Amino acid sequence: MESMITAVIFDMDGVIADSEYFNVKAKHLILKQAGIEVDWHYHDKFLGTTHEYMWTEMKKEFESLDKEVSYYIDQWVKTRKELINQEGLKPMPGVVDLIRILKEKGFHLAVASSSLKEDIMTNMNTFGITDCFEAFVSGSECENGKPDPEIFQKAAEAIGQKAANCIVVEDSEAGVKAAKSAKMKCIGYAPEGAIKQDLHQADTVVKEFSDKLIEYIMGNK
């Protein structure tokens, strides 16, 4: 007999916050300043990974990135904030309603994101959904980044739920792998126009946050 789902753990970038565009554009600008020209889709492989992993890998690849990883992370965070301030960050369509409905129906909710804790909290406050969640776990609080299951294990622990009772909402291959390695169910989120990711390990894949998704989660409760 399958375990009932009592908790939903959300990734943030590309799931709650429509932020992947800003993440990529900021990286693109920093690489350009270092004389590095790459295709926009070069960044696809870093979706869902930690800041440290991403810049470490790029430093290995490009000799002109000759400063410390921490320098590039700081520059990236600063550039991304400037872009968001200029253009404004929005939530993914339908996600705020989904989160509020799940909260009303008694699910335990958490955010587990590779982003910095400061960015997680800023976004949740901006969207007015901070009080819907019982825990926020950042990649900087974990020794291992996705696809390692650590971040989801910590999120489940923080809200007092067993892995078998959790379902994760993820948009990246690394995130789906992490959820399944944590022995959790997983909803793959692949909206139209998003960076194509291999989400085949997810228990189901959806293109939008709809009533059908709520029914799916409720059906596992």
Side-chain angles (χ1 to χ4, degrees):
M1 182 176 153
E2 286 196 51
S3 298
M4 291 194 311
I5 297 301
T6 56
V8 186
I9 302 173
F10 288 83
D11 175 42
M12 184 180 71
D13 294 304
V15 173
I16 297 178
D18 191 1
S19 49
E20 291 301 346
Y21 162 77
F22 295 107
N23 291 342
V24 173
K25 188 172 182 180
K27 272 185 280 179
H28 219 65
L29 290 171
I30 291 168
L31 291 178
K32 203 167 185 177
Q33 286 167 4
I36 302 161
E37 294 280 354
V38 294
D39 181 83
W40 189 265
H41 290 290
Y42 163 80
H43 305 283
D44 292 4
K45 61 187 175 183
F46 297 120
L47 191 68
T49 62
T50 65
H51 304 346
E52 288 79 8
Y53 172 82
M54 181 172 66
W55 286 103
T56 299
E57 290 300 302
M58 287 195 285
K59 270 178 60 66
K60 287 178 191 172
E61 192 171 344
F62 304 114
E63 287 182 11
S64 59
L65 295 177
D66 54 4
K67 295 184 175 65
E68 295 295 317
V69 167
S70 57
Y71 168 82
Y72 292 109
I73 291 173
D74 289 343
Q75 288 297 111
W76 179 54
V77 169
K78 182 182 171 188
T79 304
R80 190 181 56 184
K81 278 183 181 173
E82 288 170 356
L83 290 170
I84 289 170
N85 287 338
Q86 288 165 16
E87 301 180 39
L89 184 65
K90 296 181 177 69
M92 297 302 290
V95 74
V96 170
D97 287 341
L98 172 68
I99 288 165
R100 287 185 174 144
I101 290 168
L102 291 173
K103 179 69 174 174
E104 285 170 12
K105 291 190 179 294
F107 286 93
H108 300 277
L109 305 182
V111 173
S113 168
S114 299
S115 290
L116 299 171
K117 192 67 161 277
E118 177 192 347
D119 292 339
I120 295 171
M121 301 317 299
T122 297
N123 292 345
M124 296 307 103
N125 290 332
T126 299
F127 303 152
I129 52 175
T130 308
D131 59 351
C132 292
F133 296 95
E134 296 172 29
F136 305 91
V137 183
S138 162
S140 58
E141 298 169 62
C142 302
E143 288 185 25
N144 305 295
K146 302 171 188 176
D148 189 275
E150 182 183 0
I151 194 165
F152 292 128
Q153 291 166 338
K154 285 196 168 180
E157 186 181 340
I159 57 177
Q161 302 297 301
K162 293 178 181 175
N165 300 118
C166 298
I167 194 164
V168 173
V169 186
E170 260 288 355
D171 69 325
S172 72
E173 180 180 354
V176 171
K177 284 181 176 177
K180 297 313 292 181
S181 293
K183 309 295 185 198
M184 297 176 182
K185 284 205 163 191
C186 186
I187 295 163
Y189 178 50
E192 295 291 343
I195 296 167
K196 291 287 179 276
Q197 291 281 299
D198 181 0
L199 307 179
H200 81 274
Q201 289 186 28
D203 295 278
T204 188
V205 177
V206 300
K207 290 185 176 181
E208 60 184 1
F209 294 128
S210 64
D211 292 343
K212 283 185 179 178
L213 180 58
I214 294 166
E215 287 169 18
Y216 176 82
I217 297 170
M218 292 295 294
N220 284 278
K221 191 171 183 182

